[in-house]
Amino acid sequence: MFNIENSSIRKNLILIQLATAFMAVLICCVFFVYNDIRIYKETSVKTKQSIAEIVGMSTAPALGFLDRDAAKQMLLKLKSNPTILNAVILDKEGKEFARYNKAGEEAFSFPATGAQTVDQSDMGQRILVSYKIHDPDFLGTVILRAELSGFTESVLNYVKIAAFILVVSLVAAFLISTFLQRDITNRLLAFVAKTQEVSGTNDFSIRLPTTGKDEISTLSAAFNNMLGQIEKMQGVLKQNNVQLERRVRQRTAELEAANKELERFVYVASHDLQEPLRTITNYTGLIEKGYAAQLDEKGNRYLASTLKATARMRVLIKDLLELSRIGKDARFTQVDTGEILKETIGQLNAAIEESETNIIASPLPVLQGNEVELKLLFQNLISNAIKFKKKGAQPVIQISAEEKPTHYLFAFKDNGIGIEEQYKERIFIVFQRLHNKDEYAGTGIGLATCQKIVAMHKGEIWVESSPGAGSTFYFTIQKDLK
Ligand code: ADP
Protein backbone atom coordinates (compact mmCIF):
# COMPACT_ATOMS: atom_id res chain seq x y z
CA MET A 1 0.00 0.00 0.00
CA PHE A 2 1.33 3.45 -0.87
CA ASN A 3 2.21 5.38 2.28
CA ILE A 4 2.14 9.15 1.86
CA GLU A 5 4.31 9.68 4.99
CA ASN A 6 7.21 7.64 3.64
CA SER A 7 7.29 9.28 0.24
CA SER A 8 8.86 12.60 -0.72
CA ILE A 9 6.60 15.65 -0.80
CA ARG A 10 7.51 16.23 -4.46
CA LYS A 11 6.30 12.76 -5.40
CA ASN A 12 3.19 13.11 -3.26
CA LEU A 13 2.21 16.42 -4.86
CA ILE A 14 2.70 15.06 -8.38
CA LEU A 15 0.71 11.94 -7.52
CA ILE A 16 -2.15 13.96 -6.04
CA GLN A 17 -2.28 16.21 -9.09
CA LEU A 18 -2.12 13.25 -11.47
CA ALA A 19 -4.88 11.45 -9.57
CA THR A 20 -7.07 14.57 -9.70
CA ALA A 21 -6.44 15.08 -13.42
CA PHE A 22 -7.03 11.38 -14.09
CA MET A 23 -10.36 11.40 -12.28
CA ALA A 24 -11.53 14.62 -14.00
CA VAL A 25 -10.60 13.41 -17.48
CA LEU A 26 -12.03 9.93 -16.80
CA ILE A 27 -15.40 11.37 -15.71
CA CYS A 28 -15.47 13.59 -18.87
CA CYS A 29 -14.56 10.65 -21.11
CA VAL A 30 -17.20 8.37 -19.58
CA PHE A 31 -19.81 11.07 -19.97
CA PHE A 32 -18.89 11.85 -23.59
CA VAL A 33 -18.60 8.18 -24.62
CA TYR A 34 -21.96 7.42 -23.02
CA ASN A 35 -23.56 10.46 -24.66
CA ASP A 36 -22.09 9.71 -28.11
CA ILE A 37 -23.24 6.08 -27.92
CA ARG A 38 -26.71 7.26 -26.94
CA ILE A 39 -26.84 9.76 -29.85
CA TYR A 40 -25.47 7.12 -32.22
CA LYS A 41 -28.19 4.68 -31.13
CA GLU A 42 -30.95 7.31 -31.37
CA THR A 43 -29.83 8.32 -34.88
CA SER A 44 -29.73 4.67 -35.99
CA VAL A 45 -33.21 4.03 -34.63
CA LYS A 46 -34.53 7.17 -36.30
CA THR A 47 -33.01 6.12 -39.65
CA LYS A 48 -34.57 2.64 -39.39
CA GLN A 49 -37.81 4.27 -38.35
CA SER A 50 -37.78 6.40 -41.51
CA ILE A 51 -37.12 3.29 -43.61
CA ALA A 52 -40.08 1.54 -41.92
CA GLU A 53 -42.23 4.59 -42.65
CA ILE A 54 -41.18 4.68 -46.34
CA VAL A 55 -41.78 0.92 -46.69
CA GLY A 56 -45.16 1.32 -44.99
CA MET A 57 -46.26 4.17 -47.22
CA SER A 58 -45.05 2.37 -50.35
CA THR A 59 -46.83 -0.85 -49.47
CA ALA A 60 -50.11 0.84 -48.50
CA PRO A 61 -51.60 0.36 -52.06
CA ALA A 62 -50.48 -3.28 -52.18
CA LEU A 63 -52.14 -3.86 -48.78
CA GLY A 64 -55.24 -2.05 -49.95
CA PHE A 65 -55.52 -4.29 -53.01
CA LEU A 66 -54.31 -7.38 -51.12
CA ASP A 67 -51.47 -7.68 -53.66
CA ARG A 68 -48.96 -9.85 -51.83
CA ASP A 69 -46.47 -9.98 -54.74
CA ALA A 70 -46.30 -6.21 -54.99
CA ALA A 71 -45.75 -6.06 -51.22
CA LYS A 72 -43.00 -8.68 -51.47
CA GLN A 73 -41.37 -6.75 -54.35
CA MET A 74 -41.42 -3.64 -52.22
CA LEU A 75 -39.81 -5.52 -49.34
CA LEU A 76 -37.12 -6.95 -51.62
CA LYS A 77 -35.91 -3.39 -52.20
CA LEU A 78 -34.66 -3.53 -48.61
CA LYS A 79 -31.79 -5.66 -49.95
CA SER A 80 -29.98 -2.46 -50.78
CA ASN A 81 -29.71 -1.76 -47.03
CA PRO A 82 -27.63 -4.61 -45.55
CA THR A 83 -28.39 -3.51 -41.97
CA ILE A 84 -32.04 -4.62 -42.36
CA LEU A 85 -32.11 -8.27 -41.34
CA ASN A 86 -35.78 -9.14 -41.43
CA ALA A 87 -38.97 -7.33 -42.36
CA VAL A 88 -42.61 -8.27 -42.16
CA ILE A 89 -45.92 -6.68 -43.21
CA LEU A 90 -48.92 -7.61 -41.10
CA ASP A 91 -52.46 -6.98 -42.28
CA LYS A 92 -54.96 -5.15 -40.13
CA GLU A 93 -55.84 -8.40 -38.31
CA GLY A 94 -52.16 -8.81 -37.42
CA LYS A 95 -51.62 -11.76 -39.79
CA GLU A 96 -48.47 -11.99 -41.85
CA PHE A 97 -49.02 -10.48 -45.31
CA ALA A 98 -45.49 -10.42 -46.72
CA ARG A 99 -42.02 -11.15 -45.39
CA TYR A 100 -38.38 -10.38 -46.19
CA ASN A 101 -35.31 -12.14 -44.83
CA LYS A 102 -31.84 -10.90 -45.68
CA ALA A 103 -29.85 -13.58 -47.48
CA GLY A 104 -28.32 -15.92 -44.94
CA GLU A 105 -30.51 -14.52 -42.16
CA GLU A 106 -32.93 -16.87 -40.45
CA ALA A 107 -36.63 -16.15 -40.31
CA PHE A 108 -37.40 -14.11 -37.28
CA SER A 109 -40.62 -14.53 -35.40
CA PHE A 110 -41.83 -11.00 -34.82
CA PRO A 111 -43.81 -10.20 -31.73
CA ALA A 112 -47.36 -8.97 -32.09
CA THR A 113 -47.28 -5.21 -32.34
CA GLY A 114 -49.04 -2.93 -29.95
CA ALA A 115 -51.07 0.16 -30.67
CA GLN A 116 -48.14 2.55 -30.88
CA THR A 117 -46.97 3.95 -34.14
CA VAL A 118 -43.38 3.11 -33.34
CA ASP A 119 -42.45 0.01 -31.48
CA GLN A 120 -38.82 -0.15 -30.67
CA SER A 121 -37.28 -3.00 -28.74
CA ASP A 122 -33.72 -2.57 -27.77
CA MET A 123 -31.94 -5.89 -28.07
CA GLY A 124 -28.39 -4.72 -27.70
CA GLN A 125 -27.03 -4.42 -31.19
CA ARG A 126 -30.34 -5.44 -32.83
CA ILE A 127 -33.39 -3.21 -32.91
CA LEU A 128 -37.00 -3.59 -33.88
CA VAL A 129 -38.93 -0.69 -35.37
CA SER A 130 -42.51 -0.72 -36.59
CA TYR A 131 -44.83 1.57 -38.50
CA LYS A 132 -48.63 1.44 -38.57
CA ILE A 133 -49.95 2.02 -42.05
CA HIS A 134 -53.00 4.33 -42.40
CA ASP A 135 -54.43 5.33 -45.77
CA PRO A 136 -56.34 6.94 -44.16
CA ASP A 137 -57.80 3.88 -42.37
CA PHE A 138 -55.58 1.42 -40.59
CA LEU A 139 -54.31 -1.13 -43.12
CA GLY A 140 -51.55 -3.00 -41.32
CA THR A 141 -48.10 -2.78 -39.76
CA VAL A 142 -44.52 -2.89 -41.02
CA ILE A 143 -41.93 -4.27 -38.63
CA LEU A 144 -38.22 -4.13 -39.34
CA ARG A 145 -35.44 -5.92 -37.53
CA ALA A 146 -32.11 -4.25 -38.10
CA GLU A 147 -28.64 -4.32 -36.70
CA LEU A 148 -26.85 -1.25 -35.46
CA SER A 149 -24.11 -1.30 -38.03
CA GLY A 150 -20.56 -0.82 -36.73
CA PHE A 151 -21.81 -0.53 -33.10
CA THR A 152 -18.91 -2.50 -31.58
CA GLU A 153 -16.34 -0.69 -33.72
CA SER A 154 -17.67 2.71 -32.81
CA VAL A 155 -17.77 1.84 -29.10
CA LEU A 156 -14.18 0.59 -29.39
CA ASN A 157 -13.27 3.77 -31.24
CA TYR A 158 -14.78 5.90 -28.51
CA VAL A 159 -12.88 3.96 -25.85
CA LYS A 160 -9.63 4.30 -27.83
CA ILE A 161 -10.13 8.04 -28.16
CA ALA A 162 -10.96 8.30 -24.46
CA ALA A 163 -7.83 6.33 -23.54
CA PHE A 164 -5.74 8.53 -25.81
CA ILE A 165 -7.19 11.69 -24.27
CA LEU A 166 -6.58 10.24 -20.84
CA VAL A 167 -2.92 9.48 -21.57
CA VAL A 168 -2.29 12.83 -23.25
CA SER A 169 -3.94 14.74 -20.42
CA LEU A 170 -2.03 12.74 -17.80
CA VAL A 171 1.28 13.51 -19.52
CA ALA A 172 0.27 17.16 -19.75
CA ALA A 173 -0.81 17.18 -16.10
CA PHE A 174 2.47 15.54 -15.09
CA LEU A 175 4.53 18.12 -17.00
CA ILE A 176 2.49 21.04 -15.73
CA SER A 177 2.46 19.87 -12.12
CA THR A 178 6.18 19.07 -12.19
CA PHE A 179 6.86 22.52 -13.54
CA LEU A 180 4.46 24.41 -11.29
CA GLN A 181 5.21 22.71 -7.99
CA ARG A 182 8.96 22.72 -8.59
CA ASP A 183 9.39 26.03 -6.87
CA ILE A 184 7.33 25.01 -3.81
CA THR A 185 8.90 21.59 -3.39
CA ASN A 186 12.40 22.90 -4.02
CA ARG A 187 11.98 25.39 -1.21
CA LEU A 188 10.45 22.78 1.07
CA LEU A 189 13.27 20.33 0.27
CA ALA A 190 15.83 23.07 0.89
CA PHE A 191 14.12 23.71 4.24
CA VAL A 192 14.33 20.03 5.16
CA ALA A 193 18.00 19.85 4.04
CA LYS A 194 18.88 22.85 6.22
CA THR A 195 17.12 21.42 9.29
CA GLN A 196 18.99 18.16 8.76
CA GLU A 197 22.24 20.09 8.47
CA VAL A 198 21.50 21.88 11.75
CA SER A 199 20.67 18.66 13.62
CA GLY A 200 23.64 16.85 12.05
CA THR A 201 26.29 19.49 12.73
CA ASN A 202 24.72 21.19 15.79
CA ASP A 203 25.71 24.42 14.09
CA PHE A 204 23.01 26.86 15.17
CA SER A 205 24.47 29.74 13.18
CA ILE A 206 22.93 28.31 9.99
CA ARG A 207 20.03 30.40 8.59
CA LEU A 208 17.32 29.66 6.02
CA PRO A 209 16.50 32.06 3.16
CA THR A 210 13.28 34.02 3.84
CA THR A 211 12.47 35.80 0.58
CA GLY A 212 8.73 35.98 -0.01
CA LYS A 213 5.60 36.12 2.08
CA ASP A 214 4.17 32.63 1.81
CA GLU A 215 3.86 30.00 4.55
CA ILE A 216 7.29 28.49 3.76
CA SER A 217 8.94 31.89 4.24
CA THR A 218 7.01 32.36 7.50
CA LEU A 219 8.09 28.90 8.64
CA SER A 220 11.70 29.63 7.68
CA ALA A 221 11.61 32.93 9.56
CA ALA A 222 10.20 31.20 12.66
CA PHE A 223 12.85 28.49 12.35
CA ASN A 224 15.58 31.12 12.00
CA ASN A 225 14.25 32.88 15.05
CA MET A 226 14.37 29.63 17.01
CA LEU A 227 17.91 28.94 15.79
CA GLY A 228 18.92 32.43 16.85
CA GLN A 229 17.58 31.86 20.35
CA ILE A 230 19.27 28.47 20.63
CA GLU A 231 22.53 30.00 19.41
CA LYS A 232 22.26 32.75 22.01
CA MET A 233 21.49 30.25 24.76
CA GLN A 234 24.31 28.02 23.62
CA GLY A 235 26.68 30.96 23.80
CA VAL A 236 25.60 31.79 27.34
CA LEU A 237 25.82 28.13 28.31
CA LYS A 238 29.30 27.80 26.84
CA GLN A 239 30.47 30.90 28.67
CA ASN A 240 28.97 29.64 31.93
CA ASN A 241 30.57 26.26 31.38
CA VAL A 242 33.98 27.77 30.86
CA GLN A 243 33.57 29.90 33.99
CA LEU A 244 32.31 26.91 35.94
CA GLU A 245 35.16 24.71 34.79
CA ARG A 246 37.65 27.39 35.72
CA ARG A 247 36.04 27.76 39.14
CA VAL A 248 35.97 23.99 39.71
CA ARG A 249 39.63 23.76 38.71
CA GLN A 250 40.49 26.61 41.05
CA ARG A 251 38.53 25.15 43.95
CA THR A 252 39.94 21.67 43.37
CA ALA A 253 43.46 23.07 43.35
CA GLU A 254 42.72 25.06 46.50
CA LEU A 255 41.21 22.03 48.19
CA GLU A 256 44.08 19.80 47.18
CA ALA A 257 46.57 22.37 48.45
CA ALA A 258 44.67 22.75 51.72
CA ASN A 259 44.44 18.98 52.08
CA LYS A 260 48.13 18.54 51.44
CA GLU A 261 48.90 21.32 53.89
CA LEU A 262 46.70 19.67 56.50
CA GLU A 263 48.25 16.28 55.92
CA ARG A 264 51.69 17.78 56.15
CA PHE A 265 50.70 19.52 59.36
CA VAL A 266 49.27 16.30 60.87
CA TYR A 267 52.37 14.41 59.81
CA VAL A 268 54.79 17.00 61.14
CA ALA A 269 52.77 17.53 64.31
CA SER A 270 52.41 13.85 65.06
CA HIS A 271 56.04 13.23 64.15
CA ASP A 272 57.34 16.13 66.21
CA LEU A 273 55.02 15.37 69.11
CA GLN A 274 56.60 11.95 69.44
CA GLU A 275 59.87 13.36 70.77
CA PRO A 276 58.51 15.43 73.72
CA LEU A 277 56.01 12.64 74.42
CA ARG A 278 58.84 10.15 74.63
CA THR A 279 60.60 12.50 77.09
CA ILE A 280 57.41 12.82 79.18
CA THR A 281 56.94 9.04 79.14
CA ASN A 282 60.56 8.48 80.10
CA TYR A 283 60.54 10.97 82.94
CA THR A 284 57.19 9.88 84.32
CA GLY A 285 58.60 6.33 84.17
CA LEU A 286 61.65 7.51 86.09
CA ILE A 287 59.46 9.31 88.64
CA GLU A 288 57.42 6.14 89.11
CA LYS A 289 60.56 4.06 89.58
CA GLY A 290 62.55 6.41 91.85
CA TYR A 291 60.01 8.54 93.68
CA ALA A 292 56.81 6.53 93.96
CA ALA A 293 57.60 5.70 97.58
CA GLN A 294 58.00 9.38 98.44
CA LEU A 295 54.63 10.30 96.98
CA ASP A 296 51.46 9.97 98.97
CA GLU A 297 48.50 8.04 97.70
CA LYS A 298 47.06 11.04 95.83
CA GLY A 299 50.40 11.72 94.15
CA ASN A 300 50.63 8.07 93.08
CA ARG A 301 47.10 8.25 91.62
CA TYR A 302 48.04 11.35 89.66
CA LEU A 303 51.17 9.64 88.45
CA ALA A 304 49.19 6.56 87.33
CA SER A 305 46.71 8.80 85.43
CA THR A 306 49.58 10.65 83.76
CA LEU A 307 51.17 7.35 82.71
CA LYS A 308 47.85 6.09 81.30
CA ALA A 309 47.23 9.35 79.44
CA THR A 310 50.71 9.40 77.94
CA ALA A 311 50.31 5.77 76.83
CA ARG A 312 47.02 6.60 75.15
CA MET A 313 48.54 9.69 73.56
CA ARG A 314 51.35 7.55 72.19
CA VAL A 315 48.83 5.26 70.53
CA LEU A 316 46.87 8.25 69.19
CA ILE A 317 49.97 9.87 67.72
CA LYS A 318 51.12 6.55 66.24
CA ASP A 319 47.68 6.08 64.59
CA LEU A 320 47.61 9.68 63.35
CA LEU A 321 51.08 9.34 61.91
CA GLU A 322 50.02 6.13 60.21
CA LEU A 323 46.93 7.83 58.76
CA SER A 324 48.87 10.79 57.38
CA ARG A 325 51.53 8.49 55.98
CA ILE A 326 49.08 6.57 53.76
CA GLY A 327 49.56 7.33 50.11
CA LYS A 328 53.02 8.77 50.56
CA ASP A 329 54.49 5.56 49.23
CA ALA A 330 52.07 4.70 46.42
CA ARG A 331 54.09 1.84 44.94
CA PHE A 332 52.03 -1.09 43.76
CA THR A 333 53.39 -4.61 43.40
CA GLN A 334 52.02 -8.12 43.03
CA VAL A 335 50.63 -8.91 46.45
CA ASP A 336 49.34 -12.24 47.69
CA THR A 337 46.46 -11.27 49.98
CA GLY A 338 46.39 -14.84 51.35
CA GLU A 339 49.93 -14.28 52.62
CA ILE A 340 48.95 -10.90 54.05
CA LEU A 341 46.14 -12.57 55.98
CA LYS A 342 48.56 -15.17 57.35
CA GLU A 343 50.99 -12.49 58.52
CA THR A 344 48.19 -10.44 60.09
CA ILE A 345 46.92 -13.47 61.97
CA GLY A 346 50.49 -14.00 63.16
CA GLN A 347 50.75 -10.41 64.38
CA LEU A 348 47.39 -10.52 66.16
CA ASN A 349 48.03 -13.98 67.57
CA ALA A 350 47.86 -12.92 71.22
CA ALA A 351 44.50 -11.18 70.82
CA ILE A 352 43.13 -14.05 68.72
CA GLU A 353 44.12 -16.67 71.22
CA GLU A 354 42.95 -14.67 74.19
CA SER A 355 39.53 -14.14 72.67
CA GLU A 356 39.44 -17.66 71.14
CA THR A 357 38.54 -16.13 67.80
CA ASN A 358 37.88 -18.52 64.92
CA ILE A 359 39.02 -17.12 61.56
CA ILE A 360 37.64 -18.88 58.48
CA ALA A 361 39.12 -17.72 55.18
CA SER A 362 38.41 -18.79 51.61
CA PRO A 363 41.29 -18.58 49.07
CA LEU A 364 42.31 -14.97 48.57
CA PRO A 365 43.67 -13.51 45.30
CA VAL A 366 47.06 -12.28 44.21
CA LEU A 367 46.59 -8.70 43.06
CA GLN A 368 48.26 -5.37 42.34
CA GLY A 369 48.47 -3.33 45.52
CA ASN A 370 50.57 -1.72 48.22
CA GLU A 371 51.63 -4.49 50.56
CA VAL A 372 52.29 -2.34 53.66
CA GLU A 373 48.93 -0.55 53.43
CA LEU A 374 46.94 -3.70 52.65
CA LYS A 375 48.47 -5.30 55.77
CA LEU A 376 47.31 -2.32 57.82
CA LEU A 377 43.82 -2.62 56.27
CA PHE A 378 43.54 -6.33 57.17
CA GLN A 379 44.92 -5.64 60.65
CA ASN A 380 42.41 -2.88 61.38
CA LEU A 381 39.40 -4.89 60.17
CA ILE A 382 40.36 -8.08 62.02
CA SER A 383 41.29 -6.32 65.26
CA ASN A 384 37.97 -4.39 65.15
CA ALA A 385 36.07 -7.67 64.62
CA ILE A 386 37.81 -9.10 67.69
CA LYS A 387 37.42 -5.92 69.72
CA PHE A 388 33.70 -5.49 69.04
CA LYS A 389 32.78 -9.10 69.80
CA LYS A 390 29.54 -10.01 71.49
CA LYS A 391 29.85 -10.80 75.19
CA GLY A 392 29.64 -14.50 75.92
CA ALA A 393 29.95 -15.62 72.29
CA GLN A 394 33.00 -17.00 70.54
CA PRO A 395 34.07 -14.54 67.85
CA VAL A 396 33.97 -15.96 64.31
CA ILE A 397 35.42 -13.99 61.39
CA GLN A 398 34.76 -15.12 57.81
CA ILE A 399 37.01 -13.64 55.15
CA SER A 400 36.37 -14.06 51.43
CA ALA A 401 37.06 -12.39 48.08
CA GLU A 402 35.30 -12.46 44.73
CA GLU A 403 36.80 -11.56 41.39
CA LYS A 404 34.71 -9.09 39.33
CA PRO A 405 35.50 -7.84 35.81
CA THR A 406 37.12 -4.59 36.97
CA HIS A 407 37.91 -5.25 40.63
CA TYR A 408 38.11 -7.66 43.58
CA LEU A 409 35.40 -7.55 46.21
CA PHE A 410 36.51 -8.50 49.76
CA ALA A 411 34.18 -9.28 52.66
CA PHE A 412 35.12 -9.42 56.38
CA LYS A 413 32.14 -10.86 58.22
CA ASP A 414 31.97 -11.04 62.01
CA ASN A 415 29.38 -12.13 64.58
CA GLY A 416 30.00 -9.15 66.86
CA ILE A 417 27.83 -6.43 68.38
CA GLY A 418 26.87 -4.92 65.01
CA ILE A 419 26.31 -1.26 64.10
CA GLU A 420 23.12 0.74 64.05
CA GLU A 421 21.91 1.90 60.65
CA GLN A 422 22.46 5.63 61.34
CA TYR A 423 26.17 5.17 62.13
CA LYS A 424 27.14 3.16 59.03
CA GLU A 425 28.64 6.19 57.28
CA ARG A 426 29.91 8.08 60.31
CA ILE A 427 32.25 5.37 61.53
CA PHE A 428 34.57 5.97 58.55
CA ILE A 429 35.20 9.57 59.65
CA VAL A 430 38.35 10.12 61.71
CA PHE A 431 37.83 10.24 65.52
CA GLN A 432 34.22 9.07 65.17
CA ARG A 433 33.59 6.37 67.77
CA LEU A 434 30.36 4.89 68.94
CA HIS A 435 31.63 3.82 72.34
CA ASN A 436 33.34 5.19 75.36
CA LYS A 437 37.11 4.53 75.48
CA ASP A 438 36.67 2.67 78.77
CA GLU A 439 34.07 0.40 77.19
CA TYR A 440 36.11 -0.38 74.07
CA ALA A 441 39.67 0.91 73.74
CA GLY A 442 40.50 2.79 70.56
CA THR A 443 41.22 6.10 68.90
CA GLY A 444 38.54 6.31 66.18
CA ILE A 445 41.23 6.44 63.48
CA GLY A 446 41.19 2.77 62.35
CA LEU A 447 38.31 2.88 59.83
CA ALA A 448 39.38 6.31 58.49
CA THR A 449 42.76 4.69 57.82
CA CYS A 450 41.00 1.76 56.10
CA GLN A 451 39.04 4.15 53.87
CA LYS A 452 42.19 6.00 52.87
CA ILE A 453 43.94 2.74 51.99
CA VAL A 454 40.98 1.53 49.90
CA ALA A 455 40.73 4.92 48.15
CA MET A 456 44.44 4.65 47.32
CA HIS A 457 43.53 1.36 45.56
CA LYS A 458 40.69 3.15 43.69
CA GLY A 459 38.11 1.21 45.67
CA GLU A 460 35.25 1.76 48.07
CA ILE A 461 34.52 0.55 51.58
CA TRP A 462 31.15 0.11 53.28
CA VAL A 463 29.48 -1.90 55.97
CA GLU A 464 26.32 -3.98 56.15
CA SER A 465 25.19 -4.65 59.65
CA SER A 466 22.40 -4.78 62.18
CA PRO A 467 22.85 -4.46 65.93
CA GLY A 468 23.38 -7.82 67.62
CA ALA A 469 23.66 -9.71 64.34
CA GLY A 470 27.27 -8.95 63.41
CA SER A 471 28.75 -6.77 60.67
CA THR A 472 30.22 -7.38 57.23
CA PHE A 473 32.78 -4.89 56.00
CA TYR A 474 33.09 -4.87 52.20
CA PHE A 475 35.82 -3.20 50.21
CA THR A 476 36.93 -3.26 46.57
CA ILE A 477 40.39 -3.13 45.05
CA GLN A 478 40.55 -1.94 41.46
CA LYS A 479 42.49 -4.17 39.04
CA ASP A 480 43.80 -1.31 36.95
CA LEU A 481 45.54 1.14 39.27
CA LYS A 482 47.21 3.35 36.66
P1 ADP B 1 38.21 2.41 66.95
O1 ADP B 1 38.19 0.98 66.63
O2 ADP B 1 39.56 2.90 67.32
O3 ADP B 1 37.15 2.86 67.84
P2 ADP B 1 37.57 2.66 64.20
O4 ADP B 1 37.70 3.81 63.28
O5 ADP B 1 38.29 1.44 63.86
O6 ADP B 1 37.94 3.20 65.61
O7 ADP B 1 36.03 2.32 64.34
C1 ADP B 1 35.08 3.34 64.54
C2 ADP B 1 33.88 2.79 65.23
O8 ADP B 1 33.18 1.88 64.39
C3 ADP B 1 34.20 1.96 66.43
O9 ADP B 1 34.32 2.78 67.54
C4 ADP B 1 33.01 1.02 66.56
O10 ADP B 1 31.96 1.66 67.24
C5 ADP B 1 32.60 0.83 65.14
N1 ADP B 1 33.10 -0.46 64.59
C6 ADP B 1 34.22 -0.66 63.86
N2 ADP B 1 34.34 -1.96 63.52
C7 ADP B 1 33.31 -2.62 64.09
C8 ADP B 1 32.87 -4.00 64.12
N3 ADP B 1 33.55 -4.96 63.51
N4 ADP B 1 31.73 -4.29 64.80
C9 ADP B 1 31.03 -3.31 65.39
N5 ADP B 1 31.37 -2.01 65.41
C10 ADP B 1 32.50 -1.66 64.77
Side-chain angles (χ1 to χ4, degrees), residues 384 387-388 414 419 427 432-435 442-444 446-447 473:
N384 270 353
K387 187 162 62 174
F388 298 104
D414 64 44
I419 300 158
I427 53 170
Q432 292 289 335
R433 311 196 64 232
L434 307 180
H435 307 276
T443 55
L447 286 182
F473 282 83

Side-chain angles (χ1 to χ4, degrees), residues 391-430:
K391 274 196 187 85
Q394 187 202 6
V396 179
I397 310 172
Q398 283 167 278
I399 301 167
S400 60
E402 233 181 282
E403 184 172 358
K404 304 273 179 189
T406 56
H407 58 267
Y408 291 97
L409 171 66
F410 285 81
F412 283 60
K413 183 175 169 26
D414 64 44
N415 60 342
I417 57 169
I419 300 158
E420 280 184 51
E421 183 68 35
Q422 73 254 40
Y423 301 125
K424 280 182 185 171
E425 310 264 322
R426 225 172 82 178
I427 53 170
F428 294 99
I429 299 171
V430 71

